[in-house]
Amino acid sequence: MSPRLHAFAIARVAASSVRAALVIAGGGPGAGVLALAFMAVVGPTVASAQNLEATTGAEAPGCAGVPLAASPGTESPLVDPAKDLRAAIAAGSGDRDWGEWLAGECLACHGLHAKAEASIPPLATLDPMAFASALEEYRRHLRPDPGMRLLASRLAPDEVAALAAYFASLPGEDAADAVPADNR
Amino acid sequence: MHRRHFIGAAFAGAALISAPMLRAQGRPRVVVVGGGAGGATVARYLAKDSAGALDVVLVEPNRVYRSCFFSNLALADLRSPASLEHRYDRLAADYGITVLHDRAVAVDRARREVSLGAGGLLAYDKLVLAPGIDFVVGSVAGWSEADAEVFPHAYRGGAQVDLLRAQLGAMRQGGTFALVAPPNPYRCPPGPYERVSMVASLLGRINPTAKILLLDPKATFSKQALFEEGWARHYPGVVERIGPDAGGAAVEVRPAAGEIVVAGAVVRVDVCNVIPAQRAGVISEAAGLTEAGWVPVEPLALASKADPAVHVLGDSAAQGDMPKSGFSANSQAKVVANAIRAALTGSRAFPPRYTNTCWSAIAPGDGVKVGASYTAGEGKIAAGEGFISQVGETAELRAATYAESFAWYDAISEDIFG
């Protein structure tokens, strides 16, 4: 097997395991109930992209008017990352180079560097743990942005750890204690 | 902005090239043709990540790139033309990319050489073609590119957009603006409909009795429900769409007379924007890689199905389900850069990840978006899950989506040009 195919195979395994990981992912008991309540109200956020363009509009699912009853704060996340992921982030044991590769997907919308007025937070200012919490909140539909929900749903815990390791390696000017300000 | 200076940094200008330009000693060379969202990104990521192990040459005729994305906002004065301009200085100075402002005119795939318009030859180990679109000759009866000074296409950014804006500004009060939309597939699926929205916004301000005629060869179009809702809300009675069942697929234009002919009826138009049917940039055809106008590519890293040494990305590629957007080209470029670097230097290869999001402005402060993830499927890039804005969203959410698109523009510009 070529290195590339091998990597691909690993990724497929990782992708299938993330769904199982989601079921058991940590977080306060209240958060889980909250997430279920949101799911009941909002329904599925994502759909086949081909169907989207075929239907466009009322039939297509989305997150219109999602009530942010418990607006996710920027200082105290509603949801903590799973314990193993927290440990990996704290230890900085994620695969930084893999994280750099994965970050390519982020960089299409998030600049690396700060722009004061930007409504999408720049990556160099992300605190790794706060970043992982935010992703978990997107994955549980506690934050409304559908694009981030989709991306978060595609990231396995080891991929989040890899991204965190990459972000931690960035020479961000005031990066150390910043958290994602954007709660969309 | 981080700065990386490489020894022997780039030079610009074709005058320095004399035929044939040999590969630098031992360093594999990647030649990238086209300095837009796809080509500039692939060049930057190749140079950045290989840290000098690759000789990266970017061939782009223009010294200043004017992005096609957001050009509709310039029509409504929501962005200045200058704010859409990008230069190649940082790609050369910070990343060590050799930027040649020249045109690639031919590819000898057997010898692995690109011919340049100024007469040089560039040898390559891997070639990336990211030339964007060209137009299908004769696709709109009565129109050729020679008519673009009268009936502009304004679909490749730059001066054509300025011309269209000037024509709209000078249009007589109560006049008619016509837009001839292209058939599938075409660059930026919401583009013509965002354009209608932005022109309607402009005219509402400077020419409130003007009308818009949208001639569409397609029965349906991207984000249709969202645009139609927005037109009814913001520009009631202004936009009339003529679909294929009413003659929208067989429009004849008469630039000299200022007329169009729809279903046998002659219609006087004051400004007419003709967006013709599209095909891969002509260099793709010169390289002998096209089928039915586009370049078939494999889904793992967009290598041509006819030649694995040539990767084709962005609008020119027939890759499957991704729309022809700047976002898609940027996403594909990172996959291509990773695969080429791995092939030429033995660096780690990662499985491909593809995404796209297209924002559209319906009115100032009213933005919508559609997006999806994509995977390397059986023989093509296949759509996975996606999302789309909804009709009836709150003004607050629309305003946030609109603001988000501006943040996206800044971020992707940094990602493309450094």
Side-chain angles (χ1 to χ4, degrees):
Chain A
M1 188 179 273
S2 75
R4 190 164 75 189
L5 285 176
H6 183 60
F8 200 28
I10 290 171
R12 290 196 165 201
V13 171
S16 60
S17 66
V18 66
R19 289 179 191 87
L22 268 177
V23 175
I24 56 166
V33 173
L34 193 55
L36 283 174
F38 268 104
M39 296 284 277
V41 171
V42 176
T45 313
V46 291
S48 150
Q50 282 170 317
N51 290 343
L52 286 177
E53 286 299 354
T55 58
T56 54
E59 309 93 314
C63 71
V66 173
L68 268 181
S71 182
T74 54
E75 271 98 46
S76 52
L78 284 177
V79 181
D80 286 329
K83 188 179 166 194
D84 289 354
L85 178 54
R86 286 206 308 275
I89 292 170
S93 61
D95 181 339
R96 185 208 164 278
D97 290 351
W98 190 14
E100 184 172 15
W101 158 248
L102 293 168
E105 199 164 31
C106 314
L107 286 165
C109 300
H110 296 259
L112 257 188
H113 302 287
K115 287 188 182 65
E117 75 285 6
S119 69
I120 305 176
L123 293 184
T125 66
L126 291 185
D127 169 73
M129 199 69 81
F131 150 77
S133 291
L135 272 190
E136 189 59 34
E137 289 166 11
Y138 280 117
R139 190 152 50 193
R140 297 183 184 208
H141 291 195
L142 299 176
R143 291 180 181 232
D145 183 78
M148 281 305 303
R149 286 180 176 185
L150 175 56
L151 288 174
S153 74
R154 295 174 72 211
L155 288 169
D158 55 347
E159 292 176 315
V160 176
L163 279 163
Y166 171 62
F167 295 151
S169 76
L170 291 173
E173 289 92 307
D174 344 292
D177 45 14
V179 295
D182 173 54
N183 66 1
R184 293 191 64 243
Chain B
M1 205 59 59
H2 53 143
R3 306 266 169 198
R4 299 180 197 204
H5 292 279
F6 285 79
I7 294 168
F11 54 91
L16 292 170
I17 295 287
S18 59
M21 181 177 169
L22 298 174
R23 281 192 285 278
Q25 302 184 354
R27 279 202 308 170
R29 179 185 293 152
V30 183
V31 173
V32 181
V33 173
T41 303
V42 83
R44 191 173 85 86
Y45 272 74
L46 279 169
K48 172 174 75 74
D49 295 340
S50 69
L54 293 174
D55 175 17
V56 182
V57 182
L58 178 61
V59 180
E60 162 59 46
N62 298 307
R63 289 178 182 274
V64 177
Y65 175 80
R66 272 269 299 271
S67 68
C68 214
F69 44 97
F70 263 38
S71 63
N72 288 329
L73 279 76
L75 293 175
D77 303 332
L78 299 172
R79 289 290 291 236
S80 70
S83 76
L84 307 182
E85 290 185 350
H86 304 277
R87 289 171 174 74
Y88 298 93
D89 312 359
R90 287 193 297 276
L91 293 181
D94 297 357
Y95 299 95
I97 295 165
T98 302
V99 181
L100 298 178
H101 291 298
D102 200 342
R103 187 175 293 280
V105 293
V107 177
D108 185 334
R109 291 195 283 114
R111 296 173 62 91
R112 296 196 177 184
E113 285 174 352
V114 176
S115 301
L116 300 176
L121 280 177
L122 273 175
Y124 64 82
D125 294 287
K126 292 280 189 185
L127 174 64
V128 179
L129 298 181
I133 52 159
D134 271 293
F135 299 124
V136 176
V137 175
S139 65
V140 176
W143 192 92
S144 73
E145 284 205 64
D147 297 308
E149 292 305 308
V150 183
F151 281 6
H153 58 78
Y155 221 62
R156 288 193 297 234
Q160 275 276 298
V161 177
D162 298 339
L163 174 63
L164 180 57
R165 174 64 185 81
Q167 288 184 345
L168 290 164
M171 191 166 91
R172 72 178 171 90
Q173 290 296 305
T176 297
F177 166 70
L179 185 148
V180 180
N184 291 320
Y186 62 100
R187 162 179 282 182
C188 187
Y193 310 96
E194 181 185 62
R195 175 163 296 173
V196 164
S197 309
M198 292 293 93
V199 171
S201 174
L202 172 72
L203 295 178
R205 191 156 49 80
I206 66 170
N207 193 343
T209 54
K211 297 291 182 201
I212 297 178
L213 207 50
L214 168 58
L215 302 134
D216 202 338
K218 304 178 295 300
T220 60
F221 60 88
S222 174
K223 298 179 181 166
Q224 183 165 355
L226 295 166
F227 281 112
E228 289 178 345
E229 176 202 42
W231 295 343
R233 179 194 303 156
H234 298 292
Y235 320 113
V238 172
V239 181
E240 181 187 354
R241 177 169 176 263
I242 297 176
D245 53 344
V251 176
E252 178 195 341
V253 300
R254 296 173 177 171
E259 295 170 349
I260 62 175
V261 184
V262 186
V266 177
V267 180
R268 166 90 197 149
V269 292
D270 297 280
V271 177
C272 184
N273 176 198
V274 176
I275 307 174
Q278 293 156 32
R279 61 182 170 137
V282 289
I283 188 65
S284 315
E285 198 167 313
L289 297 171
T290 53
E291 277 179 26
W294 306 98
V295 183
V297 294
E298 56 79 24
L300 270 176
L302 295 116
S304 158
K305 287 184 176 175
D307 185 345
V310 184
H311 296 252
V312 181
L313 59 95
D315 296 346
S316 286
Q319 33 70 21
D321 295 342
M322 295 185 81
K324 298 185 184 302
S325 68
F327 197 121
S328 290
N330 170 265
S331 173
Q332 294 162 9
K334 294 166 199 174
V335 173
V336 170
N338 178 259
I340 288 178
R341 188 166 65 95
L344 295 180
T345 72
S347 64
R348 286 171 74 184
F350 296 105
R353 299 177 73 88
Y354 300 109
T355 47
N356 178 63
T357 301
C358 290
W359 284 266
S360 299
I362 293 177
D366 183 353
V368 293
K369 60 179 173 179
V370 60
S373 62
Y374 299 84
T375 54
E378 292 297 320
K380 69 165 192 174
I381 296 179
E385 293 179 326
F387 59 88
I388 187 168
S389 297
Q390 299 293 287
V391 296
E393 285 175 339
T394 63
E396 184 188 18
L397 179 55
R398 291 298 182 82
T401 304
Y402 180 81
E404 186 183 274
S405 71
F406 282 71
W408 162 75
Y409 186 93
D410 289 344
I412 201 163
S413 298
E414 180 184 351
D415 198 36
I416 296 167
F417 295 101

